Amino acid sequence: MTTLAELAVGAEAKVIRVTGTSAVSRRLMEMGVIPGVSVKIVKTAPFGDPIQIRVRGYSLAMRKSEARTIEVS
Amino acid sequence: MKTVLKNAETSNEVAVAVKENKRADENAEKKQIIVALAGNPNAGKTTLFNVLTGLKQKVANYPGVTVERKEGIWKLDDTAARLIDLPGLYSLDVTSLDEQIASEVLTGKVFDLPKPDVVVAAVDATNLERNLYLVTQILEYNIPVVIALTMFDAAEKQSLAVNSKKLSELLQIPVVPVIAKQKQGINELSAAVVKAAREKKTPVLPWLADADFNEEGEEIHLSLSENAAANKKIFARYNFISDVYQESVEHKHTSERNVSDKIDGILTHKFFGLIILVAILLLVFQTIFSWANVPMDLLDQGFGALGDFVRTSLPAGILNDLIVDGIIAGVGGVLVFLPQILLLFLFLSILEDSGYMARAAFLLDKLMSRVGLHGKAFLPLLSSFACAIPGIMATRTIENPKDRLATILIAPFMSCSARLPVYTLMIGAFFTGQTIFGFLSVGAVLMLAMYALGIIVAIIAAFVLKRTILKSPPPPFVMELPPYRLPNVRTVLQNMFTRAGLFLKRAGTVILAISIILWALTYFPRNASPTINKNQQSSVTERAPGEASGAPNGEMATELVAEDSAQLQNSFAGQLGHFIEPVIQPLGFDWKIGVALIASFAAREVLVSTLSIIYNVGKDETEESETLISAIQAEKRADGTPVWTPLTALTLMVFFVLAMQCMSTVAVVRRETNSWSWTLFMVAYMTALAYFAAFLTYQGGKLFGFG
């Protein structure tokens, strides 16, 4: 099982599942990160965290701890 | 009032519905309709609101909370609408305060605000899918919705062809492309809103019909415990949106790196990103300090002149003293900060509107999260070096209330400009001309040490607060990095003046009251002689070093100052000074310093003028004044030992780094936290810390043979 946090910069993947606490996973899904959607890792911040992804045509930043709750293929 | 909110108490609902209908009838007679403006953050909602309402806007808070309520009148063809600007939202799931308020507005639960007749949803054409998510949720409230399709021009530049007719057809609601800045599509939008208000048509919601959670009578309203059902609904909405998107949007060719990505390549670069961030911040603060000084001095002198004018034109007496020394000096002392606040909010608006603020948070989140704060806390804290008031107001960008509170509670530890006069006076009196290693001036090192002390204590305080009373899971950092956009001049200016107005209104009332109380403490009980105080200089802020303005001259002045001094000794403040003397003795302070400490709880720089009165050197002293410095150096205790030693001066400086001595900040914290208990907690914990640190400094210093 791979999570979004393990992907390298530039990698693309499809979301399989959003786990994690209800508040965070709910927010992520509301922002469009739901199963089936494709995401791309754009970059990581200077200190290695957070990361920037591209989803549904816009840029979204999240911490690695949140990216770890997103299972991708 | 159909199925959507079925779980609400029906009896109430009927009553509300009846009331609403009645209100709606009244509104129809007055030909005024209620329109709510909703939209994602960065969807161009504010620009649209400004264009629709012009300058006739009212800004207030929703009752009991700090969510801003913006309202204006929008002139439609033959009628007018009350346009309510909802907070920028990604969703309506009622997990944040903004979302809760928006939901209350949409269901007509806000006092004095009937349920909206129409919702105008600002939808960013360049980010259609996520923007439409909010629209699907609003539609579930069964209110007619008109979509204002913003950023239409930007979408075309990105080779996105949004077919608004098709979009309207699929969603079954009107879609009007607008370019707010150029006022394109505004008439069409008005027409669509008037029509929607008249027809009161709401579409069928296919995503609800398709899913199995919408059986007759089953509740749909979400709560956290119904996770699975809630998630299902999110899927259903997005599935519907994906279909709509595919049918109505055409990518002319696969978009390569757009402009924002290119800018991000530099501004959030691993190495240059941080350097540019530091450069931008330096520029901002340098500008705030240097530009704001001129109008600040002018204001200060203006209030001084106004005070003198009132002093001479009103008959002498309590009323005269109250107006000049209490009201003009107290309120004027706060108004002096207005230029700084205006400039800071100018830059904040530009940084926010251009999309850079989100990047700054992105760059710094890792650092800030180490102490348990959000990346967005960085800027308010930095602003607090100029003045904690705009800094605390800038914490509004932090959504999580606990993170915001933690940031507010540590912001005043940043050494603000009002502490400078105190540092300068102490260094001037005891540490001038001394060097370390032959070249480092002790004064500069001490100054730096004071700034560092504030920062270190703030970090520790944040760390402790976030692990104890403000314990909450690390704030989720799920944040949009919006496309870079040129800030709209009008939006930026309007934002700046609105905030300045709020500051004046909010701080003004409380500060007026506290000014009067403090004035009374130093004024009563009166001595026999009623003529004193006459030539007192009325400007409370003595920021400009070395600039003695209009000092009373000659013997008469000396006499008056002596009387002032006697008056202060016998006043309630003087008595308080004696009263607290045992408490501050371990810090090496006597009762006279005690009086100055008490007075400086109004504002830190008041210490300088109060010490001047106590030491009989005239109120019109500035921090670099020779006479005040020599008076401080010459001051002796009963046993002939000097009151002030370098150690006393250092102790006082340490106390001033940490103590909450600024009534304007207290007033703003009260407004922003909406809680007296948090405000008092802040005053208490900061003062306790200040006392503790000063105690350690003095007693430790004595132990090592200093002082």
Side-chain angles (χ1 to χ4, degrees):
Chain A
M1 181 201 78
T2 324
T3 70
L4 198 58
E6 293 154 38
L7 295 185
V9 171
E12 273 178 77
K14 260 202 165 60
V15 174
I16 298 174
R17 216 152 66 96
V18 182
T19 58
T21 62
S22 60
V24 178
S25 67
R26 170 89 66 87
R27 177 57 77 195
L28 281 168
M29 288 197 282
E30 282 171 346
M31 299 294 276
V33 184
I34 60 169
V37 78
S38 62
V39 293
K40 183 184 175 186
I41 312 288
V42 179
K43 68 164 68 177
T44 59
F47 301 107
D49 200 10
I51 63 169
Q52 178 186 353
I53 67 162
R54 192 145 194 97
V55 60
R56 294 184 192 269
Y58 78 98
S59 286
L60 185 66
M62 68 180 78
R63 294 206 182 118
K64 285 221 164 126
S65 55
E66 280 126 20
R68 253 174 249 130
T69 68
I70 302 170
E71 289 174 24
V72 293
S73 67
Chain B
M1 289 282 162
K2 282 193 277 184
T3 53
V4 175
L5 288 166
K6 232 174 186 163
N7 59 333
E9 307 90 275
T10 1
S11 58
N12 267 351
E13 212 169 89
V14 171
V16 170
V18 169
K19 217 166 154 191
E20 261 166 21
N21 284 338
K22 216 175 138 200
R23 272 194 189 149
D25 291 344
E26 284 169 14
N27 282 332
E29 279 164 25
K30 274 189 264 165
K31 286 200 162 191
Q32 197 188 48
I33 56 171
I34 311 280
V35 178
L37 180 60
N40 282 188
N42 313 302
K45 193 167 64 71
T46 312
T47 311
L48 186 60
F49 181 78
N50 288 342
V51 169
L52 295 180
T53 58
L55 290 168
K56 283 181 224 141
Q57 301 182 0
K58 275 194 295 184
V59 182
N61 273 5
Y62 286 97
V65 292
T66 50
V67 177
E68 216 162 70
R69 172 175 169 173
K70 244 166 59 169
E71 193 178 326
I73 297 294
W74 177 18
K75 287 212 180 79
L76 300 166
D77 287 343
D78 54 346
T79 161
R82 266 175 84 183
L83 188 64
I84 319 294
D85 190 21
L86 295 178
L89 304 162
Y90 290 113
S91 105
L92 274 170
D93 269 352
V94 206
T95 47
S96 80
L97 195 56
D98 281 356
E99 290 167 5
Q100 195 186 323
I101 292 288
S103 161
E104 281 172 15
V105 171
L106 292 181
T107 46
K109 282 186 190 141
V110 175
F111 172 72
D112 83 359
L113 191 62
K115 186 174 167 170
D117 299 283
V118 181
V119 175
V120 173
V123 168
D124 180 351
T126 63
N127 191 351
L128 206 55
E129 284 182 273
R130 205 204 55 221
N131 274 257
L132 284 178
Y133 181 78
L134 180 68
V135 175
T136 57
Q137 282 193 313
I138 298 170
L139 284 169
E140 287 167 25
Y141 282 77
N142 273 328
I143 305 173
V145 175
V146 174
I147 286 183
L149 197 61
T150 60
M151 315 286 169
F152 203 63
D153 41 349
E156 272 173 4
K157 268 186 212 145
Q158 286 178 29
S159 307
L160 281 172
V162 181
N163 185 338
S164 57
K165 277 212 186 84
K166 188 83 191 168
L167 194 60
S168 166
E169 218 171 85
L170 293 167
L171 295 169
Q172 304 165 53
I173 54 174
V175 176
V176 184
V178 294
I179 304 174
K181 270 183 238 177
Q182 294 156 31
K183 303 204 173 172
Q184 274 182 42
I186 301 300
N187 290 337
E188 290 84 347
L189 187 64
S190 316
V193 166
V194 171
K195 189 158 172 259
R198 189 161 4 96
E199 290 176 351
K200 297 191 169 66
K201 250 188 2 203
T202 50
V204 286
L205 311 174
W207 62 93
L208 293 185
D210 291 350
D212 53 7
F213 47 68
N214 191 25
E215 266 143 37
E216 262 303 302
E218 195 180 326
E219 72 175 44
I220 302 165
H221 199 65
L222 308 171
S223 78
L224 280 170
S225 59
E226 301 162 312
N227 231 337
N231 290 354
K232 258 189 196 166
K233 269 189 86 168
I234 298 176
F235 298 162
R237 289 180 195 128
Y238 263 115
N239 284 338
F240 171 75
I241 290 166
S242 293
D243 292 346
V244 170
Y245 182 81
Q246 299 221 312
E247 284 189 55
S248 57
V249 180
E250 195 191 324
H251 291 264
K252 277 175 195 148
H253 31 229
T254 43
S255 59
E256 49 322 342
R257 269 159 61 92
N258 60 32
V259 184
S260 276
D261 288 341
K262 283 181 194 151
I263 299 175
D264 261 342
I266 306 164
L267 291 189
T268 60
H269 187 271
K270 265 192 155 43
F271 179 67
F272 297 115
L274 287 173
I275 293 179
I276 294 170
L277 176 72
V278 171
I280 289 177
L281 295 174
L282 270 179
L283 185 80
V284 167
F285 288 101
Q286 177 59 33
T287 318
I288 289 174
F289 269 120
S290 52
W291 286 7
N293 264 341
V294 178
M296 282 174 87
D297 288 344
L298 280 178
L299 272 178
D300 197 23
Q301 286 161 19
F303 283 110
L306 178 67
D308 292 343
F309 173 74
V310 174
R311 167 88 64 215
T312 47
S313 40
L314 277 182
I318 290 188
L319 184 67
N320 188 322
D321 292 339
L322 168 67
I323 293 174
V324 177
D325 297 329
I327 296 173
I328 296 180
V331 175
V334 175
L335 287 182
V336 159
F337 290 109
L338 193 59
Q340 262 187 4
I341 287 170
L342 277 174
L343 273 177
L344 185 83
F345 276 114
L346 173 71
F347 287 118
L348 281 181
S349 307
I350 292 174
L351 291 178
E352 184 94 60
D353 260 33
S354 61
Y356 186 73
M357 199 74 100
R359 270 73 182 188
F362 176 71
L363 289 172
L364 293 167
D365 181 69
K366 181 78 180 174
L367 284 184
M368 301 303 291
S369 66
R370 290 225 175 114
V371 281
L373 291 176
H374 195 278
K376 285 183 180 173
F378 182 74
L379 209 110
L381 291 178
L382 205 65
S383 311
S384 301
F385 281 109
C387 175
I389 295 162
I392 286 164
M393 286 165 77
T395 59
R396 284 177 172 234
T397 52
I398 305 168
E399 289 105 359
N400 182 317
K402 280 187 177 171
D403 291 332
R404 183 163 173 238
L405 192 54
T407 313
I408 290 176
L409 288 176
I410 63 165
F413 284 129
M414 305 298 133
S415 275
C416 65
S417 52
R419 285 171 173 103
L420 277 175
V422 179
Y423 297 166
T424 323
L425 177 69
M426 291 299 125
I427 289 172
F430 296 102
F431 303 103
T432 41
Q434 304 169 35
T435 53
I436 308 175
F437 309 128
F439 65 96
L440 269 177
S441 112
V442 171
V445 172
L446 273 180
M447 196 75 108
L448 195 69
M450 292 304 120
Y451 277 84
L453 176 66
I455 296 170
I456 292 165
V457 171
I459 290 173
I460 298 171
F463 194 85
V464 172
L465 284 170
K466 284 295 294 177
R467 269 157 195 78
T468 52
I469 44 174
L470 291 176
K471 200 175 170 114
S472 60
F477 186 85
V478 177
M479 189 181 68
E480 184 190 5
L481 298 176
Y484 288 103
R485 283 187 187 122
L486 218 54
N488 181 283
V489 178
R490 197 175 149 172
T491 308
V492 166
L493 289 181
Q494 207 148 10
N495 189 13
M496 175 173 113
F497 286 115
T498 311
R499 303 220 166 243
L502 282 179
F503 162 74
L504 288 184
K505 205 167 111 192
R506 283 174 184 163
T509 42
V510 184
I511 282 159
L512 183 66
I514 302 177
S515 302
I516 293 173
I517 292 170
L518 270 167
W519 166 82
L521 282 179
T522 54
Y523 193 82
F524 294 108
R526 298 303 295 156
N527 283 346
S529 155
T531 57
I532 59 165
N533 266 343
K534 229 179 187 170
N535 279 15
Q536 252 180 29
Q537 215 260 345
S538 47
S539 156
V540 290
T541 53
E542 320 230 347
R543 291 170 306 95
E547 197 183 18
S549 55
N553 45 18
E555 281 165 31
M556 195 188 80
T558 322
E559 221 167 82
L560 283 168
V561 167
E563 274 182 68
D564 265 3
S565 188
Q567 164 62 33
L568 195 70
Q569 272 197 45
N570 298 323
S571 71
F572 289 122
Q575 293 172 25
L576 272 173
H578 280 291
F579 181 71
I580 66 164
E581 198 173 18
V583 182
I584 57 175
Q585 216 151 26
L587 311 183
F589 302 158
D590 66 353
W591 75 267
K592 290 181 180 178
I593 302 177
V595 174
L597 278 185
I598 290 168
S600 63
F601 270 83
R604 295 179 176 92
E605 66 271 27
V606 169
L607 177 97
V608 179
S609 53
T610 316
L611 280 180
S612 308
I613 299 175
I614 299 172
Y615 293 144
N616 270 353
V617 286
K619 204 180 181 183
D620 207 34
E621 290 300 319
T622 65
E623 60 270 23
E624 288 182 350
S625 158
E626 283 301 318
T627 41
L628 177 55
I629 287 179
S630 38
I632 286 176
Q633 289 164 338
E635 181 73 6
K636 295 275 192 301
R637 290 179 204 273
D639 59 2
T641 54
V643 172
W644 291 88
T645 62
L647 185 61
T648 323
L650 185 66
T651 308
L652 190 79
M653 283 164 77
V654 168
F655 187 87
F656 268 72
V657 171
L658 303 179
M660 178 66 262
Q661 301 160 287
C662 177
M663 63 171 178
S664 321
T665 306
V666 172
V668 168
V669 170
R670 163 69 188 86
R671 296 298 322 188
E672 294 294 309
T673 59
N674 204 27
S675 145
W676 271 118
S677 9
W678 279 115
T679 312
L680 293 176
F681 167 77
M682 173 163 157
V683 175
Y685 105 96
M686 288 186 67
T687 309
L689 261 179
Y691 183 85
F692 181 65
F695 182 85
L696 282 186
T697 310
Y698 189 72
Q699 296 300 335
K702 263 175 55 176
L703 221 60
F704 287 102
F706 296 105

